[in-house]
Structure formats: structure tokens, C-alpha cells
Amino acid sequence: MPVVYREHTERGWLLLWEIAEREEELADLVSPEDVAETAGFGSRERRRQRLAWRAALRSVLPQVRIGYESGGGPVLLPSGKVSQGGGGYIGVSHTDGIAAVIYDPESPCAVDVERLDRRFGRIASRYLSEKERELAAPGDGLFEAVCWCAKETLYKYARREGLSLSDDLRILRYGNFGGRGTLSGSAGGGKPVPLSFFTFGNCAVVYTDGRFFGEKSAKCLTC
């Protein structure tokens, strides 16, 4: 089906695509290069997910050229003006049933989407410190899932291989305002990166976005 969610970010946009199509149907919505790039994945589901984020991207930038960094992250290859399909930055994520794409015309960006029925609580000690856990309000059932997504988003945003979820990626600020909220975090000791999050169906979505950075009711480790 087409894009099921669209949101303006600080400078660009975020799209969600609900993956309901067969692989062959998605292949008709993207370029021959996209189909060839995904053909090497043995899993049909992985191919569908990768075709879906490309379909979402091409619903806005149909002629865009897609390349990859050395670490494997997708990038837009210059091909003239943005309106013609070149320039800017993208971040992508996909899980069962949902694909996400974020675009920023000026700066690196990132997004992560995860299903909420994953058992994050069983592995939370591997990626959350005791200080980070103090940011959660009592009874906040989203905290562990959102923080996992946030650290994955920070990892993608940093574009540095080998960063540890527990040692190098930090959640500094967190505020949940009824299923939608803001965070900030750092990667490898760098400056704080503002993030936003929301839930969509049975998924948590976290993305780089500074529009609401500084919510007074968010809890902060460094304030």
C-alpha cells in the first residue's frame, strides 16, 4: 500500500510504509537498479522490506540515485537539484510489516523502527546503564523499547563502525508525553543529538529531529 504516515521534521520529512504488497508488486514501484540490488538477499521478507523503503523514497523523489557508504548505510548520490532526485541525506529502517525513510536536505539524519512486542526488558541491562534507567517515569512501558531504538538511531547517525550500545551510545534526556516524546543522546562522546519518537500500531519509531528539543518536562541526566 502507499505511504501510511508522513511527518515534517525540522528541515525534511519522515515516511512510513506499511508492507502489504507481494515482492513482485513492490518491484513494480521501484527502479530496475533497486530490484537488482535487493535480489542478492536470500530471504523474501528481507527483499520485501528493502524494496518497501525504496518505494517510500521514490514516492517523493522518483528519480533519486541510491548508493552506499563503506559501512553499508544508504546515501543519495548527487544528480542535480533535489527536486530532480539528487542531494541531501537519508536514513532508513525496516521491520516486520513497516519500513521507514527520513530525509534531510542539509544534514545527516537517521531513523529506527522496532516492534513493541520484542522482549526488550530481557536485554535492557546490555544497553541501558543504571543512570539511564533513572530517566524513566514509573510505569512507562515504552522506555526500554524507545531507548533501544534511540541508540540504534544514534549509531546510524554517527556513521562510525564499532560503537557499543552500552559504552559509546548514551541517552541524556527523555520525555514521554503520552506515547509521543523527545530524547537526546550522544555517540562516542560527541555533542547531544536531539531525537523524537512516537508509536505507530505495534511499533516504536525514533528519528533525528530538533523541533521539540528542550521540553521542560523531560528528565535530563546532565541538567
Side-chain angles (χ1 to χ4, degrees), residues 17 51 60 86 95 143 186:
W17 184 286
L51 288 170
V60 180
T95 188
F143 180 75
S186 65

Side-chain angles (χ1 to χ4, degrees), residues 2 5 15 18 38 55 76 79 84-85 108 112 115 125 139 141 144 148-149 160 162 164 181 188 212:
Y5 182 89
L15 303 178
E18 187 172 356
T38 59
L76 299 186
S79 60
Q84 298 173 337
D112 192 64
R115 290 180 60 86
S125 61
E144 291 167 344
W148 173 273
C149 289
R160 291 166 50 190
S164 164
F212 311 114

